[in-house]
Amino acid sequence: MQTTSLALHTDKYQINMIYAHWLNGTHLRKAVFEAYFRKLPFGNGYAVFAGLERIVNYITNLKFTEQDLRYLEKQEENYKPEFIELLRNFKFGGNLYSMKEGALVFPDEPLIRVEGTIMETQLVETAILNFMNYQTLIATKASRIKQVAEQDSLLEFGTRRAQEADAAVWGARASYISGFDATSNMLAGELFNIPTRGTHAHSWVQLFDNEQEAFEMYAKAMPDQVTLLVDTFDTLRSGVPHAIQTGKHLESIGKKMVGIRLDSGDLAYLSIQARKMLDEAGLDYVKIVASNDLDENTIFNLKAQGAKIDIWGVGTQLITAADQPALGGVYKLVEREKDGRMEPTIKISGNPEKVTTPGKKEVYRIISSNSNKAIADYINLPHEDNPRSGGKLKLINPLHPYIQKTVKHFYAVKMLEPIFVEGKLVYSLPDLDQIRQYHKEQLQLFWPEYLRKLNPEIYRVSLSQMTLDLKQKLLEEHMSQLDTEE
């Protein structure tokens, strides 16, 4: 939930590194970090960026409480009292740039850039990754489900299976960004103004002497919001006939039943038969809701089998991202202060995909002026000329530089927005419906080949020639240094 401070929502090594920097007098050196992910989740063609609002709340309220400081004083590192006093007066005073929530994003491009002292940029790493990784993962999963469900209604039902309350609430928000229509979580509804929906449990039916009585009592209580769970005993021989009887009674008092819900069994067969029974009874307006461990693959298959389902309640598989429970985003140093000036830095690894791209960077979405569709994302260094609309632009594959493409007749959209400047919030957080609309607009920028669930086309993320040259230069410098040492 919203908290007043999460200063200790960090890994211990962050505090220890800040302490070591302080002891060595380097904690005020400037640094630039970038957060990104290396691989798309779920085998999808894109990810959906989310988590910015929570990051803004976190940094706005970031301070060490007296309780935090007393806890730090008890640590085995025996931090000096002067360091504790430094933390007591801490306030974030750096710059933060970010993608907008709802943006379609891709591997190896900066989603967030943090500039400031090593003390502040290091402290915020863990929380930023925590919020960004989880919410981006759930927003991406929700968008995949929406691509399959298309015009059907989607309900987020995951609270009881989520990893604790924060995951349930912020997961509901991330799902709503990507096209879900409502949530069952009342707190998420209250905090974020997300529509809420709910039916009733099997226990409601079991508490009465018979199913018909249970349905009638429920309809009596909420005659304008009647969706009946019909699979407690026998869906087609008991549940649906009793629901029809209830629906007819509602019609007699000038009301209409909203729907029935299927939560077990062969959902394709049961929905087809239930639809036929409802239609023959003159209740063709009654919707069929389905739940029971649904995800994009199950929904896709049910549709292929001709299921007559109008509304999908998706829970466990969405809120836990069950087929890939972590995004794997990272936060890497790209510039450091040395002798009073900023210089790019690189991390080299035995795993080629873990070699970082040095220097702080900007991201531009290159969009065709003719089709108004995205062509590629283009990454360059801030001091380079911006991509000029209508000119020529060379797109270079960073892993295989011989693969190049020159484009013209385009316009470029800058993707990283200033959020904090010198510690001051300069960005007006949009409301959730605006974010949701922005996500829809982002989807419209991309050809269907990039959005499909199976074997999506790979979207280009290109580095400028200057960025590639800088990376190659630093690689060669470090390799030559290793050769000299040997």
Side-chain angles (χ1 to χ4, degrees):
M1 306 330 126
Q2 305 287 358
T3 51
T4 54
S5 174
L6 289 171
L8 291 186
H9 184 48
T10 189
D11 293 302
K12 190 171 191 178
Y13 80 169
Q14 309 288 15
I15 301 293
N16 285 347
M17 285 190 289
I18 294 169
Y19 184 60
H21 274 296
W22 175 75
L23 284 174
N24 289 285
T26 56
H27 63 294
L28 297 181
R29 284 175 58 188
K30 300 294 185 182
V32 179
F33 285 82
E34 291 175 348
Y36 59 96
F37 61 88
R38 299 187 181 106
K39 184 179 179 181
L40 285 163
F42 317 114
N44 209 43
Y46 63 92
V48 181
F49 178 68
L52 177 60
E53 182 169 320
R54 182 126 208 229
I55 290 168
V56 167
N57 293 336
Y58 158 71
I59 290 181
T60 299
N61 296 296
L62 184 56
K63 65 178 180 180
F64 289 88
T65 66
E66 290 303 313
Q67 181 179 335
D68 295 338
L69 297 173
R70 286 194 298 272
Y71 177 72
L72 289 172
E73 288 173 336
K74 298 175 185 177
Q75 300 303 299
E76 62 185 359
E77 286 78 5
N78 194 25
Y79 304 121
K80 289 181 179 293
E82 297 88 346
F83 178 67
I84 299 297
E85 189 62 26
L86 177 71
L87 297 183
R88 177 176 279 111
N89 298 311
F90 174 84
K91 189 178 188 304
F92 182 82
N95 305 328
L96 187 145
Y97 297 81
S98 176
M99 297 279 190
K100 297 199 294 190
E101 288 197 279
L104 268 59
V105 294
F106 302 91
D108 299 313
E109 61 183 15
L111 309 184
I112 297 172
R113 187 173 78 233
V114 184
E115 307 169 359
T117 66
I118 189 64
M119 179 179 179
E120 56 199 356
T121 55
Q122 203 80 71
L123 177 64
V124 300
E125 172 183 355
T126 302
I128 285 177
L129 286 177
N130 178 215
F131 303 146
M132 179 193 87
N133 280 338
Y134 175 69
Q135 293 191 48
T136 298
L137 185 73
I138 302 305
T140 304
K141 183 72 169 177
S143 189
R144 275 173 66 79
I145 295 169
K146 181 63 177 176
Q147 292 300 306
V148 171
E150 300 180 309
Q151 300 305 313
D152 297 344
S153 294
L154 288 168
L155 311 179
E156 184 278 309
F157 278 179
T159 295
R160 62 189 61 192
R161 303 289 172 76
Q163 284 90 345
E164 261 287 358
D166 277 11
V169 169
W170 291 96
R173 180 183 181 277
S175 303
Y176 189 68
I177 286 173
S178 293
F180 271 63
D181 298 287
T183 178
S184 64
N185 188 290
M186 296 296 287
L187 183 56
E190 179 187 26
L191 288 174
F192 306 123
N193 200 32
I194 301 172
T196 54
R197 297 287 185 273
T199 57
H200 62 76
H202 295 103
S203 60
W204 173 267
V205 178
Q206 293 172 271
L207 283 166
F208 293 86
D209 291 337
N210 59 72
E211 193 173 46
Q212 187 62 55
E213 181 187 5
F215 287 175
E216 289 176 359
M217 293 296 286
Y218 191 79
K220 182 180 179 181
M222 287 170 286
D224 295 310
Q225 301 293 332
V226 180
T227 296
L228 300 173
L229 181 58
V230 295
D231 71 335
T232 304
F233 302 119
D234 188 297
T235 300
L236 298 181
R237 291 193 296 174
S238 173
V240 176
H242 288 146
I244 289 172
Q245 189 173 334
T246 305
K248 288 296 186 180
H249 170 70
L250 285 169
E251 283 187 339
S252 72
I253 60 172
K255 303 291 184 179
K256 285 188 174 182
M257 188 163 70
V258 175
I260 63 169
R261 177 160 73 97
L262 306 173
D263 190 50
S264 61
D266 185 335
L267 295 179
Y269 172 75
L270 292 174
S271 67
I272 292 169
Q273 295 304 312
R275 181 76 276 158
K276 182 180 178 183
M277 293 166 70
L278 289 166
D279 290 352
E280 289 175 350
L283 300 177
D284 57 336
Y285 55 84
V286 172
K287 304 292 185 184
I288 297 179
V289 184
S291 50
N292 188 25
D293 271 347
L294 299 174
D295 66 4
E296 66 272 33
N297 301 309
T298 309
I299 294 171
F300 181 86
N301 291 334
L302 285 168
K303 282 180 164 289
Q305 295 168 51
K308 301 298 183 181
I309 295 168
D310 308 292
I311 302 169
W312 306 88
V314 188
T316 305
Q317 303 298 317
L318 167 63
I319 207 69
T320 66
D323 47 342
Q324 185 176 328
L327 178 64
V330 295
Y331 182 91
K332 297 300 180 183
L333 180 69
V334 295
E335 275 192 8
R336 61 172 185 164
E337 182 183 5
K338 183 179 180 181
D339 300 327
R341 53 190 294 272
M342 300 300 291
E343 67 173 22
T345 183
I346 191 171
K347 172 186 176 286
I348 299 176
S349 171
N351 294 40
E353 69 274 9
K354 291 190 174 184
V355 176
T356 61
T357 300
K360 73 176 181 181
K361 297 170 285 294
E362 297 288 354
V363 183
Y364 292 87
R365 187 142 295 163
I366 308 303
I367 301 170
S368 168
S369 301
N370 297 323
S371 66
N372 204 38
K373 298 291 186 182
I375 301 169
D377 281 9
Y378 181 78
I379 300 172
N380 68 357
L381 304 172
H383 60 269
E384 293 186 64
D385 290 339
N386 297 337
R388 290 180 303 205
S389 298
K392 290 185 178 180
L393 185 67
K394 184 188 290 185
L395 303 176
I396 305 172
N397 185 307
L399 296 179
H400 307 286
Y402 65 90
I403 300 177
Q404 301 182 10
K405 178 181 180 180
T406 299
V407 296
K408 52 186 179 178
H409 308 305
F410 67 89
Y411 61 97
V413 176
K414 194 172 184 178
M415 297 300 291
L416 291 173
E417 296 273 340
I419 310 298
F420 288 90
V421 175
E422 296 181 354
K424 181 180 179 182
L425 179 63
V426 297
Y427 180 73
S428 296
L429 287 169
D431 64 38
L432 205 47
D433 285 327
Q434 290 173 315
I435 297 171
R436 185 179 164 93
Q437 180 59 35
Y438 176 68
H439 175 62
K440 289 180 182 178
E441 293 167 359
Q442 284 279 291
L443 288 169
Q444 291 167 5
L445 285 176
F446 289 82
W447 294 104
E449 289 81 359
Y450 298 115
L451 306 179
R452 65 191 178 210
K453 183 176 78 74
L454 294 174
N455 301 317
E457 182 67 23
I458 297 173
Y459 180 73
R460 291 173 179 265
V461 176
S462 302
L463 297 181
S464 70
Q465 186 66 61
M466 192 175 294
T467 307
L468 270 173
D469 291 345
L470 174 62
K471 186 173 185 176
Q472 188 61 36
K473 174 177 175 288
L474 292 187
L475 280 169
E476 290 174 358
E477 286 177 359
H478 282 277
M479 296 309 294
S480 63
Q481 183 179 349
L482 289 174
D483 291 340
T484 302
E485 290 173 356
E486 290 179 357

